[in-house]
Amino acid sequence: MFQSARLKLTAWYLLIIMGMSIIFSIAFYSVTTREVQRLTDRMEYEVKDPYNPFFVPPPITQQRIEDLEESRQRVLFSLIILNGIIFFVSGGGGYFLAGITLRPIQRMVSEQHRFVTDASHELRTPLTATRTAVEVALRDKSLTLTNAKKTLESNLEDIASIQLLSDDLLRLSQFENTQTSIVSGKVAIQDVIVSAVKKVGVLAKAKEITINQKITKQFVKGDTQSLEELFVIFLDNAIKYSSKESSILITTKRTDGHLLIAIEDTGIGIEKADIGHIFDRFYRAEKSRTKNNAEGYGLGLSIAKKIIEEHKGKVKVESEIGKGTTFTILLPAIS
Ligand code: ADP
């Protein structure tokens, strides 16, 4: 598809350049021809004998007229050669430029394609589980009400999981397709963190995890809702990947022009080899998938990364297996 688009674009480049070149050449050639004609006419007139129709111009003038005619032909020849060179150079250059022009579009399309493939793949697992459970229950002639309820409960869990995934996918695609910046207002980071902590309160309570805060009143330019979502993602992970009765610490620090917000947990930690991938879509470290049994699709940190990028910020991860993880978010601060 992209090869034919590249050829078509090259053809358009070529058509425009050659069109201009040919028009210019025709104009140049007609001016030259007219000029040669004018000079020839003048020479013939100067040496013409009006009383002698058989008069032949002297050889020197004849030679000059022939030289002029030869120059006209040489101009024509040079223009043809020049147009040939322009054709090949602009063809090659156009093909190269068409490749450069189409490269970001090609990258975007293959990214979208990968997104759809990954999303369908992830959706298929809970959908297949739901379908199989329903089919088995329907085939079971001696299905009791208790077993039917159990099947429905398991279906409900799968549906909740699909809903979670589709919500995350929708959010991620919103960030990927956004054309206008959502970052506009002055946001008090303390308020955002407090409300994010409140949102994950139930999860923390269930694991008896304490969330400590050492935060000062600082402001950033941003979107309250997205920033709240950002801290919910980091706090949710910190709770998910920590053991019971542990603690999480949130600190803020102001450096020149920036605000550093650190979320520190004492959980399972991340392998060095995984750290470079955790912000990739659908990436889950082996440990989190198997041992920890924590729910998730590996989309949280991709969404977090988009939010941070949207706010012109940065994120740093420090982790040690068995000791814990610290995510440090750097956002441009305003006073
Ligand atoms: P998930 O839904 O799997 O939590 P995320 O995108 O939020 O997806 O995180 C990607 C992966 O990064 C997780 O599967 C986990 O392996 C790792 N991870 C993220 N946060 C932490 C943390 N605080 N402690 C340990 N591992 C983490």
Side-chain angles (χ1 to χ4, degrees):
M1 181 183 118
F2 276 97
Q3 190 55 23
S4 86
R6 189 175 185 178
L7 288 173
K8 266 186 208 158
L9 203 56
T10 309
W12 276 109
Y13 282 148
L14 211 56
L15 195 74
I16 293 166
I17 294 170
M18 287 317 294
M20 275 164 45
S21 172
I22 289 169
I23 289 170
F24 173 77
S25 301
I26 290 171
F28 184 75
Y29 181 67
S30 61
V31 168
T32 311
T33 310
R34 231 177 293 139
E35 195 59 18
V36 166
Q37 194 57 51
R38 193 178 63 81
L39 288 171
T40 311
D41 288 351
R42 203 164 73 187
M43 275 185 220
E44 278 175 353
Y45 176 78
E46 277 169 7
V47 295
K48 215 178 256 177
D49 182 352
Y51 305 107
N52 180 5
F54 302 106
F55 173 81
V56 178
I60 181 79
T61 311
Q62 185 63 40
Q63 184 58 44
R64 272 208 203 140
I65 291 171
E66 277 169 20
D67 283 352
L68 277 173
E69 177 55 21
E70 201 185 311
S71 302
R72 190 186 61 81
Q73 280 175 8
R74 232 183 276 148
V75 166
L76 179 65
F77 181 71
S78 304
L79 284 173
I80 290 170
I81 295 289
L82 190 72
N83 274 285
I85 293 170
I86 289 174
F87 179 81
F88 285 109
V89 170
S90 59
Y95 187 72
F96 175 73
L97 284 177
I100 291 179
T101 313
L102 289 172
R103 204 172 297 155
I105 303 168
Q106 190 171 11
R107 212 177 295 139
M108 206 176 76
V109 170
S110 60
E111 183 75 357
Q112 291 286 343
H113 178 73
R114 201 159 60 86
F115 183 76
V116 172
T117 315
D118 289 349
S120 333
H121 180 78
E122 293 295 329
L123 276 166
R124 198 184 291 150
T125 317
L127 278 174
T128 312
T130 316
R131 188 183 166 163
T132 314
V134 172
E135 278 173 356
V136 169
L138 283 175
R139 256 188 263 124
D140 186 356
K141 291 205 172 70
S142 56
L143 182 74
T144 62
L145 188 62
T146 324
N147 282 344
K149 271 191 178 171
K150 264 190 203 155
T151 308
L152 285 176
E153 273 166 16
S154 139
N155 284 347
L156 207 60
E157 265 174 38
D158 287 334
I159 290 166
S161 161
I162 295 169
Q163 202 167 14
L164 187 84
L165 174 60
S166 63
D167 285 350
D168 278 355
L169 284 173
L170 206 64
R171 197 79 185 106
L172 196 59
S173 91
Q174 270 169 0
F175 275 113
E176 281 183 357
N177 294 327
T178 186
Q179 299 295 318
T180 50
S181 174
I182 50 156
V183 177
S184 53
K186 184 177 177 180
V187 180
I189 213 75
Q190 192 182 27
D191 298 346
V192 171
I193 294 174
V194 167
S195 90
V197 169
K198 216 183 264 173
K199 278 199 173 163
V200 296
V202 184
L203 300 171
K205 209 171 167 195
K207 285 180 91 172
E208 293 171 57
I209 290 175
T210 329
I211 304 177
N212 300 308
Q213 303 167 40
K214 278 191 199 158
I215 47 180
T216 50
K217 204 160 181 86
Q218 303 284 349
F219 295 94
V220 292
K221 192 173 174 226
D223 174 65
T224 311
Q225 205 191 328
S226 306
L227 287 173
E228 200 178 293
E229 193 176 347
L230 174 74
F231 292 111
V232 167
I233 292 170
F234 284 114
L235 287 171
D236 182 47
N237 278 348
I239 296 168
K240 256 195 324 196
Y241 302 112
S242 290
S243 51
K244 272 190 160 189
E245 295 170 28
S246 56
S247 64
I248 295 166
L249 176 65
I250 311 170
T251 51
T252 56
K253 194 171 137 197
R254 175 84 196 244
T255 62
D256 34 43
H258 288 96
L259 184 63
L260 293 169
I261 308 131
I263 298 149
E264 192 181 334
D265 67 52
T266 50
I268 60 168
I270 309 167
E271 296 274 1
K272 277 209 164 49
D274 290 319
I275 288 186
H277 302 285
I278 55 171
F279 290 96
D280 294 349
R281 259 183 342 222
F282 297 109
Y283 189 86
R284 304 200 74 205
E286 186 65 26
K287 218 173 170 189
S288 348
R289 274 186 274 129
T290 50
K291 285 191 203 155
N292 191 266
N293 228 357
E295 270 192 19
Y297 285 99
L299 287 175
L301 289 185
S302 324
I303 297 173
K305 192 177 157 209
K306 295 273 172 217
I307 297 173
I308 294 170
E309 279 170 3
E310 191 73 18
H311 285 80
K312 302 200 169 34
K314 283 185 186 142
V315 62
K316 197 176 89 184
V317 195
E318 285 161 293
S319 190
E320 211 176 312
I321 290 292
K323 291 224 168 124
T325 306
T326 304
F327 283 94
T328 309
I329 304 149
L330 183 130
L331 295 173
I334 48 173
S335 25

